[in-house]
Structure formats: C-alpha cells, structure tokens
Amino acid sequence: MNKKSRTLVITIFLVCITLLGGNHFAVSASPLQANSEAPLLTYKGTHGVEIRSYVPGYDLDKLKEIYAEFAKNTIGEEIAYLSHINLYPDYPRGTNTVGMWHGEWFRDQIAPGRYIDLFGVGDDNPYVLNTLSHEYGHHFLYYYLNKKEGITNNYLDSEYAKIRNLNHYTEIDNGDHCWSAVEIAAEDYVQLFGSPDLTRIRSYQYTPQENAHLPLAWEVPGLYDYFVNLSGLKGKEDRDAPGMPLLQLTEVTSEGLFFQWDEATDDSGEPLIYSMVGVTHPTEDSTVKYLMSITKENNCYKSSLSRRQLREDRIEDILVKLIVMDQSGNAVSNNIQIDLSHPEDYFFLMPASVLYLK
C-alpha cells in the first residue's frame, strides 16, 4: 500500500463456532471489498445508520426491530463514523464467520463510512444481537482510544491495557484469538456498555466473554469508570453487578463432582441468572465443553459434573465456572480449576482474583 496516502486499512471480523452455544473469535487484517449488489430492503434509523438487508423474507418491521435492539447498546458521537450494517443470510467466509467490522484509518484517524457485516442472519440465529454488539464494540473502542489516547492499533500502549492488566499475561497477542487485546476490549464493551437485552441469549448467559482465564469485565476494578471517562457516556442504567457467591466443591464420588453455592445478592431485587460450565484445556483455550444443570434447595444451589463423561472425553483437568448475571447482563464469576487425578484436593477452596494470575 502506498505509504504517502498514510491510510492503514484494518478489518476485524468475528468468527463464531457454536459448541453448546459458545462463541470463539478470530482476527484478520486484510482489506475487503464492499458489496456492490443492491440490497433487497433498507431502513435508516434515528442515528443515521442504514440497515441493508440481503435476507429474503425480511420485511421493514424486521429491520426496524433489529435497529431498535442495536440502539440499546451504548452509543455516542462515534456513531457518526458508522455508515451501515449489512445483513446476509449465508456464510460467504464459512459457517464460522458470523460478523465483521470494517475499519479504516486515514491520516491516523478513523475514517468515516465504516460498516458492519452480519452473516447467517435468519430467525433461527440467536447470536445476531450478540455479534452486532461485539462488532460495534470494535467501532466504539477504536474511535475513542484514537481520540483520547492517540491509539490506532496497538491496544497494549493504552490506559485500557493497564487497567485490564493485559501486559501481565504472556499470552496476550500471541496469535490465539481469545488472547487478542482488541477482542478482549470488544467483549468488555458488550459486558459494560452493551444492550441489557443480551440476557435473552442463553449462550451469553454462560459465556459473557470468550476468554475464560481473565476476570469478567465487572470484576476488574476501575474498568467501568475507565469506559465512562474515555467516552463521556454512562452505559447501562444498572451499573452494579451482583455479589459474588462462594463456589464450593463439596463431594467427590466415582459418579461425579458435586458443587454448591448460596444465593447471590443484587441491588435490583430481580431474579439472577446462574450458569455452571466446564471449560476444557484451561491453559490453552476457552472451549465450553460442559453446560451443567442446576437445582435449588431453599437458598442453596447445587450442580454436578459426571466423572464418567469426563473419563470418556479423556479430560485430565477442567476449569469449573459459576457465572452469576443480573437482568441487565452484568455478570461476575467464581472458578475452580481442578486436576482430575486428585480432585479431593479442591474441597472448599475459596476462588479469588489471585486464581486468575499466572
């Protein structure tokens, strides 16, 4: 590319692999050609962003509905640099690619006319709103990090990276998508500034962020305030996460591992959403392998994991995560990483933030 133009094209796209409804993401830095085909239907919302639908059967009411849900994300002056959102019914880049944000820099500033592609759009796709929020998170953060801190691409130079403690982890930007700083930041946008309606998506309830090794956004001291100061925006009306309950491994038998925790507290008084997952290969990736059932007795919750299933799947160690989410999508978690060769050693451990450090 001609250096005299001082234009750096950065295209970020989201790769989604569904396994028990979980998401896995990846990044590309290659420029892409805009679609030259005429959309079947368009709708321009109140922010001036146009939805362009290539989905047969989608009527104007459907486009208005998608836009209305999109507008529930936290939006500020950065929206002026987003031109449109494309909806496609197919997967031109493969079934794992469900969304892309097309970024471009001109003279060290974000260029106007940015846009988002959403793939596999249809009534049977529950991830569209989650994908859209994540992709808009890229747009949001690239804009404000550039405006306030002069960051164009290297997030590790940002104040955000310091607060998120990203430079502590040797895995950051090592090529694995879940350790990409820009992807972690977009996931933080979804959690802190995203639409509260994302709680309707079951996969978001138990995977509010891709990287299982890092604390959730609401667990990072000062991160929400940083987003507020960076953008000048307040985010969701509910700005408090639930209290973090104590997750305990209470029994180990030949049949299973048994866990329990007490009911969490929350300022809203609304019912909380509990999810228990088993994450395999916790030192390599964040694949949600097991979605565990939950029962309640009085104010005590219980869950279990089958040892037979673990043996059949040849799992040697597992990260068990309890995610507690309020009705606005604010979430906290407790975690126990268990070596299955001697699980009894993990009785009554009190998970804490230090368990995230390496």
Side-chain angles (χ1 to χ4, degrees):
M1 187 169 292
N2 189 339
K3 292 184 179 179
K4 292 182 179 179
S5 68
R6 300 187 67 193
T7 302
L8 172 62
V9 177
I10 304 171
T11 302
I12 296 178
F13 66 86
L14 177 81
V15 177
C16 177
I17 299 175
T18 302
L19 177 61
L20 288 177
N23 294 331
H24 179 73
F25 308 107
V27 173
S28 168
S30 59
L32 300 171
Q33 297 297 323
N35 189 355
S36 60
E37 297 181 8
L40 299 176
L41 191 64
T42 65
Y43 170 73
K44 182 171 288 190
T46 54
H47 298 95
V49 176
E50 184 175 71
I51 292 187
R52 301 176 183 177
S53 175
Y54 298 84
V55 183
Y58 266 28
D59 57 18
L60 191 60
D61 287 342
K62 188 65 177 179
L63 301 194
K64 290 180 179 180
E65 176 187 339
I66 292 175
Y67 193 95
E69 292 298 325
F70 162 68
K72 293 177 183 178
N73 293 287
T74 302
I75 293 173
E77 64 186 40
E78 78 290 341
I79 193 72
Y81 290 79
L82 188 73
S83 168
H84 58 278
I85 301 166
N86 293 319
L87 309 180
Y88 297 106
D90 54 357
Y91 300 91
R93 292 182 170 267
T95 56
N96 294 333
T97 305
V98 299
M100 304 176 69
W101 175 75
H102 296 255
E104 182 175 313
W105 297 104
F106 181 71
R107 295 180 179 174
D108 297 328
Q109 293 182 339
I110 193 170
R114 303 304 86 229
Y115 61 98
I116 292 170
D117 288 338
L118 299 178
F119 303 119
V121 177
D123 293 337
D124 60 344
N125 184 346
Y127 310 111
V128 169
L129 297 180
N130 194 358
T131 303
L132 181 53
S133 184
H134 176 97
E135 298 305 323
Y136 192 73
H138 284 305
H139 180 81
F140 184 95
L141 284 156
Y142 269 112
Y143 175 83
Y144 285 109
L145 283 175
N146 176 251
K147 178 181 178 180
K148 294 296 184 67
E149 300 182 24
I151 303 295
T152 55
N153 191 31
N154 189 5
Y155 275 32
L156 295 184
D157 291 337
S158 68
E159 192 66 24
Y160 163 77
K162 294 179 184 178
I163 294 174
R164 236 321 182 170
N165 203 25
L166 294 184
N167 287 290
H168 170 84
Y169 301 92
T170 58
E171 299 90 340
I172 286 293
D173 289 341
N174 66 356
D176 294 335
H177 187 276
C178 72
W179 287 105
S180 166
V182 299
E183 299 299 335
I184 294 168
E187 301 269 79
D188 287 343
Y189 169 86
V190 175
Q191 294 176 72
L192 299 174
F193 272 23
S195 168
D197 283 359
L198 293 176
T199 56
R200 300 182 316 194
I201 304 171
R202 182 66 184 113
S203 64
Y204 180 73
Q205 295 173 6
Y206 59 81
T207 51
Q209 70 183 30
E210 178 190 5
N211 193 313
H213 314 277
L214 297 174
L216 298 179
W218 284 105
E219 296 169 3
V220 180
L223 186 58
Y224 171 76
D225 290 338
Y226 171 78
F227 269 63
V228 170
N229 293 331
L230 183 71
S231 65
L233 303 169
K234 292 294 186 182
K236 306 174 185 178
E237 291 186 10
D238 182 357
R239 302 175 189 123
D240 293 299
M244 184 184 294
L246 171 63
L247 174 65
Q248 296 178 335
L249 173 63
T250 57
E251 185 179 4
V252 176
T253 71
S254 59
E255 297 298 319
L257 308 176
F258 297 86
F259 304 87
Q260 73 176 39
W261 64 94
D262 292 332
E263 192 162 20
T265 58
D266 185 59
D267 62 332
S268 69
E270 297 179 329
L272 296 172
I273 303 166
Y274 298 90
S275 300
M276 277 282 282
V277 298
V279 182
T280 59
H281 307 295
T283 60
E284 298 175 7
D285 58 39
S286 303
T287 303
V288 175
K289 178 78 173 180
Y290 306 102
L291 179 58
M292 302 155 62
S293 61
I294 296 172
T295 59
K296 181 181 180 182
E297 298 178 10
N298 297 321
N299 291 327
C300 181
Y301 291 83
K302 297 184 178 181
S303 187
S304 62
L305 193 56
S306 168
R307 296 196 76 179
R308 183 181 68 179
Q309 187 65 57
L310 292 169
R311 287 192 295 269
E312 290 178 354
D313 294 337
R314 299 181 180 180
I315 305 300
E316 297 179 355
D317 54 78
I318 192 164
L319 180 65
V320 176
K321 296 180 67 70
L322 165 65
I323 297 102
V324 183
M325 182 176 292
D326 66 21
Q327 295 296 321
S328 295
N330 306 326
V332 294
S333 67
N334 255 342
N335 312 268
I336 306 177
Q337 186 170 318
I338 301 173
D339 182 345
L340 294 172
S341 63
H342 49 91
E344 296 84 357
D345 292 352
Y346 301 87
F347 281 147
F348 303 108
L349 278 181
M350 181 178 292
S353 58
V354 294
L355 296 180
Y356 290 105
L357 303 181
K358 304 172 75 173

